[in-house]
Amino acid sequence: MSKEDIITLNNADYVILDIIENAGEKYLYVVGIDEEQMPNGTYKYFKATTENNEYYVEEITNPTILKTVVTLFANNYYQDSINDEQAA
């Protein structure tokens, strides 16, 4: 599972925009896509698990966990933008 992979959950397709790991857990930031694989404006956060070499995802609905995950992705994005500026 990596960035730009397409995953399906509940008959909806999503593209992985970013992946982070925190405290041994893997989280995904995704956007829904339509039949032409174009973004449809539906952004979600998923928790990913691996079992028997297969990936499983579930949407994060717990508000406390969601707040933490959103903060982690925001910090990750901020760090990436700083690194991009320094490389230029």
Side-chain angles (χ1 to χ4, degrees):
M1 186 175 296
S2 58
K3 288 182 184 179
E4 298 184 13
D5 282 355
I6 297 174
I7 59 174
T8 302
L9 181 65
N10 299 329
N11 296 320
D13 293 330
Y14 300 90
V15 171
I16 300 172
L17 300 175
D18 201 0
I19 301 170
I20 58 170
E21 291 190 34
N22 184 56
E25 303 287 353
K26 185 180 280 191
Y27 299 101
L28 312 174
Y29 177 50
V30 302
V31 63
I33 55 174
D34 61 20
E35 298 81 28
E36 286 105 33
Q37 296 187 349
M38 297 299 296
N40 64 15
T42 303
Y43 294 88
K44 296 188 177 195
Y45 297 91
F46 294 151
K47 178 181 174 184
T49 56
T50 306
E51 193 173 300
N52 298 325
N53 292 328
E54 293 201 31
Y55 289 104
Y56 298 92
V57 295
E58 63 180 299
E59 186 173 356
I60 300 170
T61 56
N62 179 305
T64 304
I65 295 172
L66 185 59
K67 182 178 178 181
T68 300
V69 169
V70 169
T71 300
L72 291 169
F73 276 108
N75 286 338
N76 192 43
Y77 177 78
Y78 177 72
Q79 290 300 321
D80 285 349
S81 67
I82 288 174
N83 292 339
D84 288 347
E85 287 178 11
Q86 291 176 351

